[in-house]
Amino acid sequence: MTVTEDITEFIAAEIGRLLNLSMMDVEIVTRNGKRGCLLKNFIPKGVMNEEGGVLLRNLSGYDSLLNSKLSSYDLIQYGFDFIKKLKFWEQIKPNFIEMNFFDILIGNQDRHPFNWMVLFKSMDDIEFSTIYDNGASLGFRFDDVMLKEYIENKTKLEKYMRNSKVKAGLFEKNK
């Protein structure tokens, strides 16, 4: 059996709730004989919102971040120094960092800046959104046979882990 993104989206949301994180409500549903997941809208009526990618693109120097030749820790440091330019960084910082640690925990490989959002309830009331779009995690591409191969072959597992990158929610490219 292959684990699919609807199942991993649901399981990741449950894991996040167990960790007391603010998670999107996810249900497994069937429509016309096809299984999928239903995601509850988390944006209250009348609240302005903006995806991280739009917020970051509006900051001077974002292209330099995307085209940086830096890697590993140096790139992460540069990225965090960059996101501090957001005037509301201190308000969203704890939740942004929690999201990134959660992504590492579940092996999320799809956290780019269009997979997180900031909610503007008023000029003084700004919040980080609930955590959403976690389907590309928890080994979603592995069927039982592949999973067994990786568990039994340490070299293959280590190569897979080396080649898997978490994007830290800042980068539109695979870094």
Short mmCIF file of all heavy atoms in Angstrom, two decimals, residues 71-72 103-104 107-111 159-168 173-175:
data_model
loop_
_atom_site.label_atom_id
_atom_site.label_comp_id
_atom_site.label_asym_id
_atom_site.label_seq_id
_atom_site.Cartn_x
_atom_site.Cartn_y
_atom_site.Cartn_z
N SER A 71 24.79 27.92 1.15
CA SER A 71 24.11 26.64 1.38
C SER A 71 24.12 26.34 2.87
O SER A 71 24.80 27.00 3.65
CB SER A 71 24.79 25.52 0.60
OG SER A 71 26.11 25.34 1.07
N SER A 72 23.37 25.35 3.24
CA SER A 72 23.30 24.83 4.60
C SER A 72 23.05 25.94 5.62
O SER A 72 22.19 26.78 5.42
CB SER A 72 24.58 24.05 4.94
OG SER A 72 24.74 23.00 4.02
N ASP A 103 7.97 20.90 10.50
CA ASP A 103 8.30 20.37 9.17
C ASP A 103 9.48 19.40 9.23
O ASP A 103 9.49 18.38 8.55
CB ASP A 103 8.61 21.51 8.20
CG ASP A 103 7.37 22.24 7.75
OD1 ASP A 103 6.26 21.71 7.92
OD2 ASP A 103 7.52 23.36 7.22
N ILE A 104 10.47 19.74 10.03
CA ILE A 104 11.62 18.84 10.20
C ILE A 104 11.17 17.53 10.84
O ILE A 104 11.54 16.44 10.39
CB ILE A 104 12.72 19.53 11.03
CG1 ILE A 104 13.34 20.68 10.23
CG2 ILE A 104 13.80 18.52 11.44
CD1 ILE A 104 14.19 21.62 11.05
N GLY A 107 9.16 15.57 8.29
CA GLY A 107 9.81 15.41 6.98
C GLY A 107 9.05 16.08 5.85
O GLY A 107 9.03 15.60 4.73
N ASN A 108 8.43 17.23 6.13
CA ASN A 108 7.69 17.96 5.10
C ASN A 108 8.65 18.52 4.07
O ASN A 108 9.59 19.22 4.40
CB ASN A 108 6.88 19.10 5.73
CG ASN A 108 5.91 19.74 4.75
OD1 ASN A 108 5.89 19.42 3.56
ND2 ASN A 108 5.11 20.65 5.24
N GLN A 109 8.40 18.21 2.81
CA GLN A 109 9.29 18.65 1.74
C GLN A 109 8.62 19.68 0.83
O GLN A 109 9.06 19.90 -0.30
CB GLN A 109 9.74 17.44 0.93
CG GLN A 109 10.56 16.50 1.78
CD GLN A 109 11.07 15.31 1.00
OE1 GLN A 109 11.27 15.38 -0.21
NE2 GLN A 109 11.32 14.23 1.69
N ASP A 110 7.56 20.32 1.33
CA ASP A 110 6.85 21.28 0.48
C ASP A 110 6.52 22.57 1.23
O ASP A 110 5.49 23.18 1.00
CB ASP A 110 5.56 20.62 -0.03
CG ASP A 110 4.90 21.45 -1.13
OD1 ASP A 110 5.62 22.12 -1.89
OD2 ASP A 110 3.66 21.43 -1.22
N ARG A 111 7.38 23.01 2.12
CA ARG A 111 7.11 24.25 2.84
C ARG A 111 7.83 25.40 2.15
O ARG A 111 8.95 25.73 2.45
CB ARG A 111 7.58 24.16 4.31
CG ARG A 111 7.30 25.42 5.09
CD ARG A 111 5.83 25.69 5.34
NE ARG A 111 5.32 24.62 6.18
CZ ARG A 111 4.06 24.19 6.11
NH1 ARG A 111 3.20 24.73 5.30
NH2 ARG A 111 3.67 23.20 6.88
N LYS A 159 21.41 8.15 2.14
CA LYS A 159 21.44 8.92 0.88
C LYS A 159 20.11 9.66 0.70
O LYS A 159 20.10 10.84 0.34
CB LYS A 159 21.69 8.00 -0.31
CG LYS A 159 21.75 8.75 -1.63
CD LYS A 159 22.02 7.83 -2.79
CE LYS A 159 22.01 8.65 -4.08
NZ LYS A 159 22.15 7.82 -5.26
N TYR A 160 19.01 8.99 0.96
CA TYR A 160 17.69 9.64 0.85
C TYR A 160 17.61 10.84 1.80
O TYR A 160 17.17 11.92 1.43
CB TYR A 160 16.57 8.64 1.15
CG TYR A 160 15.21 9.28 1.20
CD1 TYR A 160 14.54 9.59 0.02
CD2 TYR A 160 14.60 9.60 2.41
CE1 TYR A 160 13.30 10.21 0.06
CE2 TYR A 160 13.35 10.21 2.45
CZ TYR A 160 12.72 10.51 1.27
OH TYR A 160 11.50 11.12 1.30
N MET A 161 18.07 10.65 3.03
CA MET A 161 18.01 11.72 4.03
C MET A 161 18.93 12.88 3.64
O MET A 161 18.57 14.04 3.81
CB MET A 161 18.34 11.19 5.42
CG MET A 161 17.22 10.29 5.93
SD MET A 161 17.39 9.53 7.56
CE MET A 161 18.87 10.05 8.24
N ARG A 162 20.10 12.59 3.10
CA ARG A 162 21.02 13.66 2.65
C ARG A 162 20.41 14.48 1.53
O ARG A 162 20.63 15.68 1.43
CB ARG A 162 22.33 13.04 2.16
CG ARG A 162 23.46 13.10 3.12
CD ARG A 162 24.80 12.74 2.49
NE ARG A 162 24.79 11.74 1.44
CZ ARG A 162 24.83 10.42 1.63
NH1 ARG A 162 24.88 9.93 2.85
NH2 ARG A 162 24.82 9.59 0.62
N ASN A 163 19.68 13.83 0.65
CA ASN A 163 19.11 14.50 -0.52
C ASN A 163 17.77 15.18 -0.23
O ASN A 163 17.25 15.89 -1.08
CB ASN A 163 18.95 13.52 -1.68
CG ASN A 163 20.30 13.08 -2.20
OD1 ASN A 163 21.28 13.82 -2.13
ND2 ASN A 163 20.37 11.87 -2.72
N SER A 164 17.21 14.94 0.94
CA SER A 164 15.94 15.58 1.31
C SER A 164 16.25 16.92 1.96
O SER A 164 17.06 17.02 2.86
CB SER A 164 15.17 14.70 2.30
OG SER A 164 14.84 13.48 1.70
N LYS A 165 15.60 17.96 1.49
CA LYS A 165 15.86 19.30 1.99
C LYS A 165 14.57 19.93 2.51
O LYS A 165 13.53 19.85 1.87
CB LYS A 165 16.42 20.20 0.88
CG LYS A 165 17.65 19.65 0.18
CD LYS A 165 18.86 19.66 1.07
CE LYS A 165 20.08 19.20 0.29
NZ LYS A 165 21.00 18.45 1.01
N VAL A 166 14.67 20.58 3.65
CA VAL A 166 13.57 21.38 4.18
C VAL A 166 13.83 22.80 3.72
O VAL A 166 14.94 23.31 3.78
CB VAL A 166 13.53 21.30 5.72
CG1 VAL A 166 12.48 22.23 6.27
CG2 VAL A 166 13.25 19.87 6.16
N LYS A 167 12.79 23.48 3.23
CA LYS A 167 12.96 24.79 2.62
C LYS A 167 12.85 25.95 3.60
O LYS A 167 13.02 27.09 3.22
CB LYS A 167 11.94 24.98 1.52
CG LYS A 167 12.07 23.98 0.39
CD LYS A 167 11.02 24.26 -0.64
CE LYS A 167 10.91 23.13 -1.62
NZ LYS A 167 9.81 23.34 -2.53
N ALA A 168 12.55 25.71 4.85
CA ALA A 168 12.44 26.75 5.87
C ALA A 168 11.40 27.81 5.55
O ALA A 168 11.44 28.89 6.11
CB ALA A 168 13.80 27.40 6.15
N LYS A 173 12.69 28.17 -4.46
CA LYS A 173 13.48 27.17 -5.16
C LYS A 173 13.87 26.08 -4.17
O LYS A 173 13.84 26.29 -2.97
CB LYS A 173 14.73 27.80 -5.76
CG LYS A 173 14.42 28.84 -6.81
CD LYS A 173 15.68 29.43 -7.35
CE LYS A 173 15.34 30.48 -8.41
NZ LYS A 173 16.53 31.01 -9.03
N ASN A 174 14.27 24.93 -4.70
CA ASN A 174 14.69 23.82 -3.83
C ASN A 174 16.08 24.08 -3.27
O ASN A 174 17.06 23.87 -3.96
CB ASN A 174 14.68 22.50 -4.60
CG ASN A 174 13.30 22.08 -4.99
OD1 ASN A 174 12.34 22.48 -4.33
ND2 ASN A 174 13.18 21.30 -6.04
N LYS A 175 16.16 24.53 -2.05
CA LYS A 175 17.45 24.79 -1.39
C LYS A 175 17.46 24.03 -0.09
O LYS A 175 16.51 24.07 0.64
CB LYS A 175 17.64 26.27 -1.11
CG LYS A 175 17.73 27.11 -2.36
CD LYS A 175 19.14 27.52 -2.58
CE LYS A 175 19.21 28.47 -3.74
NZ LYS A 175 20.49 28.97 -3.99
#
